[in-house]
Amino acid sequence: MDKSSIILASKSPRRESLLKKIGLKLEIIPSDISEDLDHDLRPKYLAEYLSRKKAVKVSKTNKNKIIVGADTVVYLDNVIYGKPVDRNENYKMLKSLSGRTHNVVTGVSIIHKNKGIEKTFSQITKVSVRKIPNDALLYYIDNYPTLDKAGGYGIQDWFSIWIKKIDGCYFNVMGMPLSHFYKYYNLVKRELDEFKDK
């Protein structure tokens, strides 16, 4: 297990939990950047842009540590669904996802500022949702924390009973594509080790 200390530039408890599950020792420093979705970028590049923005901000005051930034975007028919601002928007989001297949993309940036190391990447998962009755939508919104999640749902909670199938990484939908992340994280560690050997 890798017990290296890294900084997670996110206050997402799901990302923190996932990274700890693979043995990483974390310090949490939220970037608190504005997750502005009003950019003329395709969803994949928007997720990468926002993840990099988070990591870069935290790296400026933590130049000699590995910083991890991440951002998850849900989209359907090129319409991007961020975090709902209220119950009404949450309902509209879930209503539009009901009975359809949407995409979830998580962008991740791993940065070590002093050594000039930067890896930014993303992964996409397709999520097919069963048709959800209105009373079930309202029950979900009223009984589970949904406003802190892109698309207004958590695949790991009660909403999971409406997931017909997924194509891709499950953990990506939770906010961190673990296998993809670990591949790039090891590349960063290798580059850091090469600096030590010089």
Side-chain angles (χ1 to χ4, degrees):
M1 298 276 263
D2 187 339
K3 290 298 182 183
S4 299
S5 178
I6 66 174
I7 293 176
L8 177 61
S10 169
K11 56 189 173 190
S12 164
R14 294 164 297 281
R15 292 193 182 110
E16 179 181 358
S17 174
L18 288 173
L19 292 178
K20 283 182 175 177
K21 281 182 189 298
I22 60 171
L24 296 183
K25 183 181 175 186
L26 299 177
E27 182 181 351
I28 308 298
I29 303 180
S31 63
D32 293 324
I33 67 155
S34 170
E35 294 181 4
D36 181 12
L37 303 182
D38 190 23
H39 290 274
D40 189 23
L41 294 171
R42 288 168 52 195
K44 164 185 164 64
Y45 299 114
L46 176 61
E48 291 179 358
Y49 167 78
L50 291 172
S51 72
R52 184 179 182 277
K53 192 174 177 183
K54 291 176 182 179
V56 166
K57 182 179 178 185
V58 173
S59 74
K60 288 177 180 176
T61 51
N62 297 274
K63 297 180 180 180
N64 210 32
K65 291 190 176 181
I66 296 173
I67 315 297
V68 176
D71 193 83
T72 300
V73 171
V74 172
Y75 64 101
L76 174 65
D77 297 335
N78 287 320
V79 175
I80 292 175
Y81 298 80
K83 296 171 184 174
V85 296
D86 55 28
R87 184 178 186 272
N88 185 50
E89 187 177 40
N90 201 163
Y91 175 80
K92 288 179 180 177
M93 281 185 182
L94 295 181
K95 187 72 175 171
S96 64
L97 298 178
S98 173
R100 303 192 65 191
T101 297
H102 62 273
N103 299 285
V104 180
V105 56
T106 296
V108 181
S109 286
I110 308 174
I111 291 176
H112 192 291
K113 190 169 179 64
N114 268 3
K115 297 295 189 279
I117 299 170
E118 181 179 321
K119 310 288 181 192
T120 298
F121 54 92
S122 60
Q123 190 160 22
I124 298 172
T125 301
K126 291 184 178 297
V127 181
S128 298
V129 181
R130 291 166 52 204
K131 193 76 175 171
I132 309 172
N134 276 346
D135 59 342
L137 283 179
L138 294 172
Y139 170 81
Y140 179 60
I141 292 168
D142 289 338
N143 290 278
Y144 289 83
T146 55
L147 299 183
D148 65 333
K149 298 174 179 69
Y153 74 90
I155 196 170
Q156 71 282 1
D157 60 29
W158 186 82
F159 195 81
S160 62
I161 66 174
W162 302 104
I163 303 297
K164 184 160 66 174
K165 69 172 183 174
I166 69 168
D167 180 9
C169 176
Y170 170 81
F171 299 109
N172 187 54
V173 186
M174 286 181 67
M176 183 57 68
L178 285 181
S179 180
H180 221 45
F181 165 81
Y182 204 66
K183 178 179 76 172
Y184 282 95
Y185 174 69
N186 277 332
L187 289 175
V188 170
K189 292 284 291 178
R190 206 169 299 143
E191 289 184 37
L192 286 173
D193 287 342
E194 287 173 4
F195 277 105
K196 291 177 186 174
D197 292 339
K198 287 179 180 178

